[in-house]
Amino acid sequence: NAGVTQTPKFQVLKTGQSMTLQCAQDMNHNSMYWYRQDPGMGLRLIYYSASEGTTDKGEVPNGYNVSRLNKREFSLRLESAAPSQTSVYFCASSRAQGYTNTEAFFGQGTRLTVV
Amino acid sequence: AQKITQTQPGMFVQEKEAVTLDCTYDTSDPSYGLFWYKQPSSGEMIFLIYQGSYDQQNATEGRYSLNFQKARKSANLVISASQLGDSAMYFCAMREWRRVQGAQKLVFGQGTRLTINP
């Protein structure tokens, strides 16, 4: 039972490089999220997808794009990485409204360093 | 816009004591859910407890309980009989349930670092 799988776990980028963080869930969840967590800070929402086919901006969307490829997969793209995007990135998924168990399940995180 | 506030950056508690972690929230939506997560030093996010806005009873899960005061918009986490393994960051989160574009996002507070002393 894999749950939420993020790849890669670690990545070092040079300023200006691009990359895509991959996320897949096998729990048939409708909603998926991308967060970033800076040292000693809480989780800040970058983008989320309430259901397949929809995406919405969160609190800190600048510099990022997302794709909800299908119900299972939600990717996060950095087009031109900046040192300010050095962070730990978490993907999460949850059931939609109407279910009793609607907590979000998290991936293990991707530690990204931009030099 | 929904907002979550955790006013205690850090707390230190003696082992076996009970501890209350504060969380206040702000929303105009009458339908929402409140969550608490634990993040140990290893970094993973562990779900602890959930409270729905229409739930009549305060949620409980083992040693965790949620002191839900709807009129005050607070959802404090109570850990009874604390253990050394409870040392971690704790996050409060909220999700609105409106079926409106842009709603239903899950938003987190800044967190409280809890340290249990032997």
Side-chain angles (χ1 to χ4, degrees), chain B residues 18-51:
Chain B
V19 57
T20 298
L21 305 181
D22 294 341
C23 173
T24 58
Y25 60 92
D26 187 24
T27 178
S28 57
D29 187 0
S31 181
Y32 53 88
L34 296 156
F35 306 81
W36 277 93
Y37 284 83
K38 173 183 178 180
Q39 187 180 44
S41 57
S42 54
E44 73 264 38
M45 295 291 289
I46 301 169
F47 166 72
L48 296 177
I49 196 166
Y50 168 79
Q51 180 85 41

Side-chain angles (χ1 to χ4, degrees), chain B:
Chain B
Q2 60 193 99
K3 186 178 178 181
I4 295 280
T5 303
Q6 295 179 254
T7 57
Q8 306 154 310
M11 287 193 68
F12 296 84
V13 173
Q14 287 298 120
E15 190 180 8
K16 300 180 184 177
E17 289 183 350
V19 57
T20 298
L21 305 181
D22 294 341
C23 173
T24 58
Y25 60 92
D26 187 24
T27 178
S28 57
D29 187 0
S31 181
Y32 53 88
L34 296 156
F35 306 81
W36 277 93
Y37 284 83
K38 173 183 178 180
Q39 187 180 44
S41 57
S42 54
E44 73 264 38
M45 295 291 289
I46 301 169
F47 166 72
L48 296 177
I49 196 166
Y50 168 79
Q51 180 85 41
S53 60
Y54 294 119
D55 292 343
Q56 296 296 314
Q57 306 274 357
N58 284 345
T60 60
E61 290 287 348
R63 293 187 299 111
Y64 304 107
S65 60
L66 201 152
N67 183 2
F68 182 46
Q69 298 186 45
K70 195 171 182 177
R72 297 181 60 186
K73 294 188 175 179
S74 75
N76 298 338
L77 177 70
V78 180
I79 306 174
S80 63
S82 58
Q83 303 171 356
L84 296 178
D86 293 332
S87 293
M89 282 287 286
Y90 288 80
F91 294 100
C92 180
M94 178 175 69
R95 183 180 178 188
E96 295 172 336
W97 295 124
R98 287 176 296 156
R99 291 192 182 278
V100 173
Q101 186 76 10
Q104 297 196 26
K105 49 183 176 284
L106 180 63
V107 178
F108 283 76
Q110 291 290 84
T112 296
R113 183 171 296 281
L114 176 64
T115 302
I116 308 297
N117 295 317

Side-chain angles (χ1 to χ4, degrees), chain A residues 19-104:
Chain A
M19 79 161 294
T20 299
L21 279 66
Q22 306 286 354
C23 177
Q25 52 92 8
D26 61 3
M27 295 172 282
N28 201 35
H29 286 167
N30 288 316
S31 302
M32 297 187 74
Y33 314 85
W34 275 106
Y35 295 91
R36 62 176 287 173
Q37 185 178 27
D38 299 315
M41 303 284 287
L43 280 75
R44 292 187 291 171
L45 183 64
I46 305 171
Y47 271 94
Y48 70 108
S49 172
S51 61
E52 186 179 358
T54 68
T55 60
D56 285 289
K57 295 179 180 179
E59 303 162 283
V60 288
N62 291 345
Y64 305 95
N65 285 301
V66 290
S67 296
R68 184 73 182 266
L69 303 170
N70 47 55
K71 192 171 186 178
R72 290 187 64 248
E73 299 172 288
F74 188 40
S75 63
L76 178 71
R77 183 160 178 84
L78 286 71
E79 290 291 350
S80 179
S84 61
Q85 293 179 305
T86 294
S87 190
V88 178
Y89 291 83
F90 286 98
C91 176
S93 71
S94 69
R95 289 183 167 188
Q97 178 187 8
Y99 293 91
T100 55
N101 298 323
T102 56
E103 71 270 23

